[in-house]
Amino acid sequence: KQWYQRRVRADLLEFGVRYLDMDVSYIREEESRGDYWETGVVLIHVVGYSRSLRRALLEINSWLGEEENRNEVIVLRIKDHHEDRRKEISESLEEEFRVVNNTKLSRSPNPILGEAIKNDERLVVFVNVLFKPGNKPGLHPLRMISTWRPRIASDNCFTEEEHVDILREATGTSLENMQVEVAWFYNYGLCL
C-alpha cells in the first residue's frame, strides 16, 4: 500500500484501479510546514506521510471529469487513523469532499453501476464508522473486520466456513453486511 499511497492517483486510475484504500490521519496547524505539510486530513502509511486527502481528491475529480472517463465508477475506503485525531478527521471529511464537482458522491453504499453512471454518482465512499459518517451525505459507514487480529492467523489452514466462524468468534459479530479484509501472511508462512 505504501507504494500506491505515493503514486499519482491519476496514474493508478489509468492502470485500471477503481478501488482505493486510503489510510488517513490529521495534521494540526502547529504541525504544518510549507507546501508539503498541509493542515488537514492526510494520507499516511503507518507513520509515513504521503499527501493531503484534498490533493488526492482533486486528482480523482479531475480524472472523473475527463470525457473518456464519464462511464467510470471509483470506490474509496478511508480508514486506519490515529485515535487522537478522530475528532478532527470526522469534523473535516465533509469539507474535504467539497472539491469533488465532476460527479456526485453515491447516495447508495451498494449502487448498481449503470444507475450510478446514469445518475452521475460515480464516487462511492466508505469511511470508518468512528468518523460518524451517518450525518454526512455520500459518506457511508465502513462495516469491516480484518484478519489482522490476534488469534486469526495460525500455522493451521482452515476452510472458508471455519474461517468465518473464527472471525465471528474473534469479533463478536454476525458478520452480516460486513466487508471482510483478508490480510495474507505469506512472509510468515501462516494460513488463514
Side-chain angles (χ1 to χ4, degrees), residues 15-123:
F15 291 145
V17 174
R18 298 295 180 270
Y19 179 90
L20 300 172
D21 182 19
M22 299 178 166
D23 296 344
V24 298
S25 188
Y26 190 91
I27 293 181
R28 296 177 176 131
E29 184 73 38
E30 64 273 12
E31 298 167 329
S32 66
R33 293 179 193 93
D35 291 337
Y36 186 74
W37 290 91
E38 300 172 63
T39 300
V41 181
V42 295
L43 302 178
I44 59 164
H45 183 72
V46 187
V47 294
Y49 166 77
S50 161
R51 66 178 65 207
S52 71
L53 174 62
R54 183 166 297 187
R55 285 185 190 210
L57 290 173
L58 284 167
E59 289 180 37
I60 292 167
N61 182 62
S62 176
W63 190 87
L64 284 168
E66 294 174 11
E67 189 60 39
E68 63 270 18
N69 301 325
R70 289 292 184 182
N71 290 329
E72 299 290 347
V73 175
I74 297 173
V75 177
L76 302 180
R77 181 174 86 162
I78 300 175
K79 64 169 189 55
D80 284 347
H81 47 278
H82 297 103
E83 289 182 19
D84 67 330
R85 307 295 169 114
R86 282 185 189 145
K87 184 175 188 285
E88 289 118 327
I89 295 167
S90 180
E91 291 171 352
S92 303
L93 276 178
E94 196 171 6
E95 180 64 31
E96 295 286 329
F97 276 92
R98 289 207 171 117
V99 300
V100 176
N101 58 17
N102 285 324
T103 189
K104 294 179 277 212
L105 301 184
S106 175
R107 291 173 289 171
S108 170
N110 300 303
I112 295 171
L113 291 179
E115 289 180 17
I117 292 165
K118 178 181 156 194
N119 296 331
D120 196 28
E121 295 180 356
R122 299 178 293 124
L123 191 57

